[in-house]
């Protein structure tokens, strides 16, 4: 006979274990969109301890909806290898343009990140960072539901050797650093430059260049990188997101031995 109390106890004990395991990690990632998931998967594969916090219940960020809810995404040839590495099927549309099903993409990215050992915590938002000696050294987290209900609940804290900002267009983590810490960002003005209007080619090139450390301890990837460094958005082409996640993982693999 099934016992509801055993079911409840099993869930509570296991979740507690999972959360305690990620209190002190190599890399803490804010946002489980495509760039954050790719970053998490490569780092976990390389044996680094990784946690990803995702505000929503669903991972995948802006990938599910393809372009205007036509659930297909375009990936350029330079990133096709990453689709293959995540076992995502794709078809050639014409020279340099590949298509993939956006639902298959999200599911495969999440599957591989989790299977390789990244811990994904959904329903939890990053609301602040921990800073010591002008270096970002952790994330401050809270239930998304508490934020939504506007409840006055104090958060909990995660320590990390490196923090990755992959919250997409709003670049929420860098925003909080800019607002609260007084740390000068590694942009032209020391502040967030802000995303520019759509230009796929320019955006897809610049996102790779913008994928880097934005201030001590904090690394930025995906659309957040373009928002911070003042370059355009790209729309429903996703090669840049995949390459950006992979680039941050490779920077951090070398940095965190
Ligand atoms: O926006 P998102 O998909 O970020 P990305 O990896 O990819 C961008 C593309 O989807 C698309 C684009 C390029 O083609 O322009 O927009 O850069 O995923 C960001 C994830 O972060 C979550 C959010 O719910 C989404 O799933 N997120 C945002 N703020 C927070 C957060 C936060 N404060 N704490 C936790 N998660």
């Amino acid at each position: 006979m099934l016992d509801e109390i055993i079911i409840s106890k099993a869930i509570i004990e296991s979740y507690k274990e999972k959360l305690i395991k990620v209190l002190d990690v190599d890399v803490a990632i804010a946002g489980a969109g495509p760039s954050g998931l790719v970053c998490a998967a490569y780092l976990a594969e390389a044996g680094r301890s990784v946690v990803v916090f995702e505000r929503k219940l669903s991972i995948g960020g802006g990938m599910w909806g393809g372009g205007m809810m036509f659930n297909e995404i375009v990936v350029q040839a330079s990133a096709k290898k990453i689709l293959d590495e995540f076992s995502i099927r794709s078809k050639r549309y014409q020279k340099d343009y590949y298509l993939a099903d956006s639902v298959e993409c999200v599911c495969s990215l999440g599957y591989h990140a989790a299977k390789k050992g990244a811990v994904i915590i959904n329903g939890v938002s990053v609301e602040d960072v921990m800073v010591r000696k002008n270096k970002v050294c952790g994330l401050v987290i809270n239930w998304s539901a508490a934020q939504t209900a506007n409840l006055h609940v104090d958060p909990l804290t995660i320590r990390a050797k490196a923090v990755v900002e992959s919250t997409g267009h709003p670049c929420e983590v860098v925003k909080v650093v800019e607002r609260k810490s007084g740390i000068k960002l590694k942009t032209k003005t020391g502040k967030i430059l802000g995303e520019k209007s759509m230009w796929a080619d320019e955006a897809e090139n610049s996102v790779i260049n913008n994928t880097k450390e934005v201030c001590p301890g904090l690394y930025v990837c995906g659309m957040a990188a373009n928002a911070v460094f003042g370059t355009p958005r790209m729309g429903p082409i996703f090669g840049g997101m995949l390459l950006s996640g992979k680039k941050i993982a490779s920077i951090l693999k070398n940095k965190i031995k």
Side-chain angles (χ1 to χ4, degrees):
M1 209 176 41
L2 290 171
D3 182 337
E4 290 81 355
I5 304 309
I6 296 176
I7 296 170
S8 302
K9 193 162 169 271
I11 289 172
I12 294 167
E13 281 179 4
S14 179
Y15 189 82
K16 186 185 103 180
E17 245 173 59
K18 189 154 58 180
L19 207 52
I20 286 179
K21 194 174 124 198
V22 301
L23 280 183
D24 204 341
V25 285
D26 289 329
V27 183
I29 301 174
S35 65
L37 288 173
V38 167
C39 174
Y42 284 116
L43 281 170
E45 188 177 39
R48 307 302 183 272
S49 56
V50 187
V51 61
V52 190
F53 295 101
E54 168 52 50
R55 165 171 289 148
K56 296 187 176 160
L57 286 178
S58 60
I59 58 164
M63 202 176 216
W64 295 104
M68 222 176 102
M69 283 197 252
F70 296 4
N71 67 353
E72 292 282 319
I73 59 154
V74 171
V75 170
Q76 59 274 51
S78 56
K80 156 87 166 67
K81 188 164 168 276
I82 302 182
L83 293 179
D84 298 340
E85 285 170 2
F86 282 84
S87 323
I88 297 166
R89 293 169 301 169
S90 58
K91 57 184 183 217
R92 188 175 177 276
Y93 182 67
Q94 63 178 61
K95 186 177 177 299
D96 204 33
Y97 294 79
Y98 289 83
L99 279 162
D101 178 277
S102 67
V103 175
E104 179 176 339
C105 284
V106 173
C107 295
S108 300
L109 296 182
Y111 172 84
H112 282 274
K115 284 285 178 189
K116 289 176 200 301
V119 177
I120 302 171
I121 308 274
N122 57 345
V124 169
S125 292
V126 173
E127 64 169 53
D128 203 345
V129 292
M130 178 160 69
V131 176
R132 293 289 181 279
K133 295 182 183 159
N134 280 326
K135 179 175 187 279
V136 175
C137 55
L139 288 176
V140 175
I141 57 165
N142 213 332
W143 301 118
S144 304
Q147 288 189 341
T148 309
N150 204 16
L151 302 180
H152 186 165
V153 181
D154 269 319
L156 294 174
T157 311
I158 304 295
R159 181 163 50 216
K161 295 191 180 92
V163 166
V164 175
E165 145 83 274
S166 53
T167 68
H169 295 269
C171 59
E172 290 194 17
V173 181
V174 181
K175 261 188 198 144
V176 88
V177 169
E178 179 188 72
R179 192 174 79 244
K180 287 189 173 184
S181 74
I183 301 174
K184 194 166 179 275
L185 305 177
K186 295 177 182 179
T187 61
K188 274 189 201 134
T189 59
K191 301 271 180 200
I192 294 170
L193 298 177
E195 146 190 339
K196 302 291 181 289
S197 291
M198 183 87 90
W199 183 357
D201 192 50
E202 172 67 19
E204 285 291 279
N205 288 324
S206 60
V207 74
I208 309 305
N209 195 32
N210 296 336
T211 295
K212 55 190 168 191
E213 192 177 43
V214 63
C215 70
L218 178 59
Y219 297 76
V220 65
C221 70
M223 187 55 220
N226 280 10
V228 169
F229 286 97
T231 54
R233 66 186 305 182
M234 65 287 292
I237 178 153
F238 279 77
M241 298 300 105
L242 308 177
L243 291 164
S244 170
K246 189 170 184 176
K247 180 179 172 188
I248 277 295
S250 110
I251 292 171
L252 293 177
K253 264 191 296 189
N254 289 330
K255 203 154 183 112
I256 302 166
K257 295 290 180 195

